[in-house]
Amino acid sequence: MALRVFRRLVPPGAAVLGAECPVQKACVHSSSARSLQYGWLAYVLGERTTPRLKHYSKIISVDGNLALGKGALAQKLADKLGMLYMPEPDTFYIDKMTGEKQPLPVKFNGMCSLEKFYLEPNAADGNSYRLQVWMYLMRLLQYSDAIEHLLTTGQGVVLERSPFSDFVFLEAMSKQGYIRKECESSVQHYNEIKGLSLGEFLPPHLVVYLDVPADEVLKKLKQSSKSYLHNVPLPYLKGIEDSYKKTFLPQIRETSEVLTYDGTQDVEKVAEDIEYLKFEKGPWLEQDDVSYHHLRTLVEDKRAVVSLASIPKFLPEITVGAHDYDELYYAYRSLLGKKYAPGYNADVGDKLIWLK
């Protein structure tokens, strides 16, 4: 499976979070600046999560259809509330996690293309589903980074979408026939990995949903600087909208606060509405230092996160054969700095490796 290849390639504990954090407190094994992982010893020595959680120690997801300015609103909202903004991940999110200076070839990043999906959604090679399951994994990894940041520093995080809302694209794809009929078991596969993985995470505290009719979204896409977005069909956009309103929002309201706005809203208005929320529902209220400890040890182990979405099941779109698997694995190991673990590769200037 393609996800197994990823699990072999990603370094343990790899994270996109930087070493700097303006709200970091001095504590045992709690900062990437110290190059130490949080673990059971830190907990035994007194490291606790709840004392650093404040009013805006929250995970906020800004959701909605395509081309609605979600990123701009999310960034302004994060700046206004003193939170960390994490832009929507792309297919190369893994390269950001591992600190690549330039994105690696597509064959190391899900073997899929967002541009190809919009230009050729019915591609016979299964690109549509391969893209969807890969993007779910990228969102899951980013969400683990967001929770790791929250529990480590106490600073809240604002995201563009989350793995909890990712399925709206799968439903829209399925309705439009973008997933080949010969591989309809892909939908079952997606729901299976979603069920196994999301259960290990807590949902966003708040979802900010931008409600814009699909025909208005289509007009915005035609004005985009990305030419491959100009021909996105209206039924696909309508499918995303329907999935949000009929499935996602009713489900997420059971565990999270939801604020809905027509179009792009002024950040001052959104921040004011958030200030009045009491956040009196959801599984976050049931957590204590013990449960936070277990969640924190999970989210810092990216291999463990990936394993949650790795199911031994044959699907033509994402299955990698044994020979191709070996070829891909050794091709990755032949890249500069990839033969050994980080810090042990003389070909990229690692020095005094015998001291490690």
Side-chain angles (χ1 to χ4, degrees):
M1 301 289 286
L3 299 186
R4 290 188 191 174
V5 176
F6 176 87
R7 186 170 54 183
R8 288 286 298 275
L9 302 184
V10 66
V16 72
L17 304 178
E20 302 83 15
C21 177
V23 297
Q24 178 67 49
K25 299 180 180 180
C27 47
V28 179
H29 288 202
S30 65
S31 170
S32 57
R34 299 180 179 85
S35 298
L36 294 174
Q37 281 191 302
Y38 170 84
W40 67 269
L41 181 59
Y43 186 83
V44 169
L45 293 176
E47 166 69 6
R48 296 293 185 270
T49 296
T50 53
R52 65 171 62 91
L53 300 182
K54 308 301 179 184
H55 180 68
Y56 287 123
S57 297
K58 301 289 189 291
I59 301 290
I60 299 176
S61 175
V62 179
D63 271 85
N65 217 318
L66 308 180
L68 299 183
K70 296 181 298 297
L73 176 61
Q75 186 164 32
K76 292 177 181 178
L77 190 60
D79 293 340
K80 178 70 176 179
L81 302 179
M83 302 172 76
L84 174 69
Y85 165 63
M86 297 182 71
E88 186 171 15
D90 56 18
T91 57
F92 297 97
Y93 186 77
I94 177 180
D95 293 337
K96 299 174 184 177
M97 293 176 60
T98 54
E100 302 296 337
K101 294 181 180 179
Q102 294 182 344
L104 297 180
V106 171
K107 64 181 180 180
F108 300 125
N109 285 283
M111 294 175 284
C112 56
S113 169
L114 181 63
E115 182 174 348
K116 180 177 180 178
F117 166 70
Y118 286 116
L119 294 176
E120 195 180 352
N122 296 103
D125 65 353
N127 177 75
S128 292
Y129 182 68
R130 194 160 55 249
L131 171 69
Q132 187 56 42
V133 74
W134 184 256
M135 283 307 303
Y136 174 78
L137 180 60
M138 297 302 101
R139 295 189 202 281
L140 193 68
L141 285 166
Q142 185 191 58
Y143 200 72
S144 72
D145 282 334
I147 292 181
E148 182 180 0
H149 182 81
L150 172 66
L151 299 184
T152 301
T153 69
Q155 184 185 30
V157 181
V158 184
L159 304 164
E160 295 175 58
R161 299 197 180 96
S162 74
F164 288 85
S165 61
D166 180 79
F167 72 89
V168 300
F169 296 102
L170 179 77
E171 290 191 352
M173 284 182 185
S174 183
K175 289 179 181 178
Q176 295 306 307
Y178 295 162
I179 298 176
R180 297 183 300 145
K181 292 183 179 179
E182 296 86 351
C183 301
E184 278 299 321
S185 58
S186 299
V187 177
Q188 179 183 353
H189 170 258
Y190 179 93
N191 290 330
E192 189 174 356
I193 64 172
K194 174 188 169 187
L196 291 173
S197 55
L198 276 192
E200 299 296 324
F201 295 87
L202 301 174
H205 294 82
L206 167 66
V207 171
V208 176
Y209 178 66
L210 301 183
D211 185 11
V212 177
D215 55 348
E216 293 297 323
V217 175
L218 184 63
K219 294 178 182 178
K220 293 178 180 292
L221 288 176
K222 291 185 179 298
Q223 299 171 359
S224 172
S225 59
K226 300 175 181 178
S227 59
Y228 60 83
L229 294 176
H230 293 174
N231 296 317
V232 177
L234 180 60
Y236 175 67
L237 299 174
K238 182 63 176 176
I240 295 174
E241 179 183 356
D242 290 344
S243 186
Y244 263 121
K245 292 182 177 180
K246 296 179 180 179
T247 308
F248 173 69
L249 291 178
Q251 289 178 355
I252 203 67
R253 279 195 176 96
E254 297 180 4
T255 59
S256 308
E257 300 291 346
V258 176
L259 293 175
T260 301
Y261 300 96
D262 296 328
T264 302
Q265 281 292 319
D266 178 68
V267 67
E268 299 291 339
K269 168 62 176 174
V270 179
E272 181 180 356
D273 291 341
I274 293 176
E275 184 177 355
Y276 285 103
L277 292 176
K278 296 183 179 180
F279 296 101
E280 293 180 335
K281 62 180 178 180
W284 285 94
L285 298 176
E286 304 169 2
Q287 307 308 307
D288 55 23
D289 281 310
V290 175
S291 60
Y292 282 140
H293 163 73
H294 291 296
L295 179 58
R296 190 170 167 186
T297 54
L298 168 64
V299 296
E300 76 172 4
D301 185 350
K302 304 310 174 187
R303 285 184 176 177
V305 173
V306 171
S307 295
L308 295 173
S310 181
I311 299 174
K313 186 174 184 179
F314 174 78
L315 288 173
E317 301 99 326
I318 62 173
T319 298
V320 178
H323 294 293
D324 291 335
Y325 179 94
D326 281 349
E327 181 180 346
L328 182 61
Y329 176 77
Y330 287 110
Y332 179 82
R333 289 302 183 194
S334 68
L335 298 176
L336 289 177
K338 304 302 181 185
K339 186 173 183 180
Y340 304 111
Y344 292 85
N345 295 282
D347 58 348
V348 291
D350 292 341
K351 300 182 183 298
L352 301 177
I353 59 176
W354 58 275
L355 291 177
K356 295 181 181 290

